Amino acid sequence: MRLVNRPLRLATCAAVVLLTAAVGCAPQDESPGGPPATGQGKQSCDRGKLATVQAGKLTVGTDKPAYAPWFQDDDPASGKGFESAVAYAVARQLGYDKAAVDWQTVPFTNAFAPGAKKFDFDINQISISAQRKHAVAFSSGYYDVRQAVIALKGSKAARAKSIADLRHVKLGAQVGSTSLDVVNDTIHPDRTAAVFQKNDYAKTALKNGQVDAIVTDLPTAFYITSAEVKEAEVVGQFADTGSAKEQFGLVLDKESRITGCVTAAVDALRKDGTLAALEKKWLTDAVDVPVLK
């Protein structure tokens, strides 16, 4: 699903707000979570000459392990997997070839915690939210996401047909994630959810019967059930809530001077169909997964 990108000439960050996202195939259609944050002052978006952490290089952060289908073989630098491919597509759009991209390990919650960042942007299935924008800046969204429930086949949780059916089972999710927000704010379980530092720990807890079900984003749920916990299944997904879709965005320092440039690159990749093509290549279609209401 990779697509060769047309180079994009950007003159100033003031110009990037004119690049709106209306093209692409579902779910890459709009970017309601995009930033107004553009950092301090005007910043040239000349290709390959941004005000980056390392001169002449683009430093990209993500967590370790780097999970499929977002990355392959725990190797963000391979260019394989949806987010690895997106990161390199954004880099090319900004004027940096693969050799100029430097990957850095950044734990999930550290990426959007307050404080200065040592990366130019972080890509790690991080949803854009008003709360997180108090601490960091975001690009416009590069992927529209829904959350999903995974349970062991034949279990009570696997038989759930509605949100109400999930309220009486033991649920788990990753700390600091929107998956955990869905557990607490949408499902409202009658037992406190188990919270895990990483999805790997959540998967192990599911296999060992420590939780009845876990909540993750839908592409991750597909991968877990098809390749890692084959005795589990995707029970259902949750409908979009509110006026804005949940979207993954690239995370930048709150004061980053290149936020507008990065947003323009993401918007251009949506407009020319690159994001939709990468999604089709690396992520599984969710059409047949029932929506839990």
Side-chain angles (χ1 to χ4, degrees):
M1 138 185 196
R2 300 181 191 216
L3 207 65
V4 176
N5 301 313
R6 296 190 301 269
L8 176 66
R9 282 199 173 276
L10 301 175
T12 65
C13 285
V16 301
V17 296
L18 300 177
L19 292 172
T20 55
V23 184
C25 68
Q28 304 295 348
D29 50 2
E30 296 178 351
S31 54
T38 56
Q40 296 178 332
K42 293 183 178 180
Q43 164 63 36
S44 170
C45 293
D46 288 347
R47 290 174 54 77
K49 298 181 180 180
L50 304 186
T52 52
V53 172
Q54 303 178 70
K57 287 186 174 290
L58 194 67
T59 304
V60 181
T62 199
D63 204 353
K64 187 173 181 63
Y67 301 110
W70 311 104
F71 304 91
Q72 283 197 353
D73 302 320
D74 191 20
D75 182 12
S78 69
K80 297 178 180 179
F82 179 70
E83 289 191 331
S84 181
V86 167
Y88 282 117
V90 170
R92 288 192 298 271
Q93 201 72 38
L94 294 170
Y96 297 88
D97 61 22
K98 189 173 183 179
V101 176
D102 183 30
W103 288 88
Q104 179 185 99
T105 299
V106 180
F108 178 77
T109 53
N110 288 14
F112 50 87
K117 307 304 178 189
K118 296 181 179 180
F119 53 76
D120 293 306
F121 66 76
D122 186 277
I123 184 167
N124 191 21
Q125 307 113 65
I126 298 175
S127 296
I128 300 165
S129 73
Q131 180 179 4
R132 289 172 179 171
K133 282 185 178 181
H134 291 302
V136 295
F138 282 95
S139 71
S140 53
Y142 61 87
Y143 178 69
D144 295 353
V145 63
R146 285 188 176 189
Q147 299 295 317
V149 178
I150 307 169
L152 296 180
K153 296 175 182 177
S155 67
K156 178 182 177 181
R159 295 192 293 272
K161 303 297 181 184
S162 67
I163 293 173
D165 292 338
L166 295 169
R167 289 183 180 138
H168 308 301
V169 302
K170 181 68 174 178
L171 298 167
Q174 184 177 6
V175 64
S177 66
T178 49
S179 302
L180 184 58
D181 291 340
V182 167
V183 172
N184 293 328
D185 301 336
T186 300
I187 300 175
H188 301 291
D190 57 12
R191 284 181 278 177
T192 302
V195 180
F196 303 96
Q197 192 64 34
K198 296 178 180 290
N199 270 331
D200 265 356
Y201 303 153
K203 290 181 292 186
T204 300
L206 179 65
K207 291 175 71 173
N208 293 341
Q210 295 168 282
V211 294
D212 300 312
I214 60 175
V215 178
T216 72
D217 61 80
L218 188 56
T220 297
F222 275 125
Y223 184 78
I224 289 173
T225 55
S226 64
E228 297 183 316
V229 188
K230 295 185 178 180
E231 61 270 34
E233 62 182 330
V234 181
V235 177
Q237 62 181 312
F238 296 91
D240 293 325
T241 57
S243 58
K245 298 173 182 176
E246 181 182 352
Q247 290 190 315
F248 292 158
L250 305 178
V251 179
L252 298 93
D253 189 283
K254 180 70 173 176
E255 303 302 325
S256 173
R257 296 173 63 199
I258 68 168
T259 301
C261 304
V262 173
T263 285
V266 172
D267 290 347
L269 294 171
R270 183 184 302 103
K271 187 174 182 180
D272 72 9
T274 298
L275 292 180
L278 292 176
E279 181 182 335
K280 184 176 180 181
K281 179 177 178 64
W282 295 109
L283 302 181
T284 306
D285 197 334
V287 172
D288 296 330
V289 177
V291 176
L292 298 169
K293 298 179 180 180

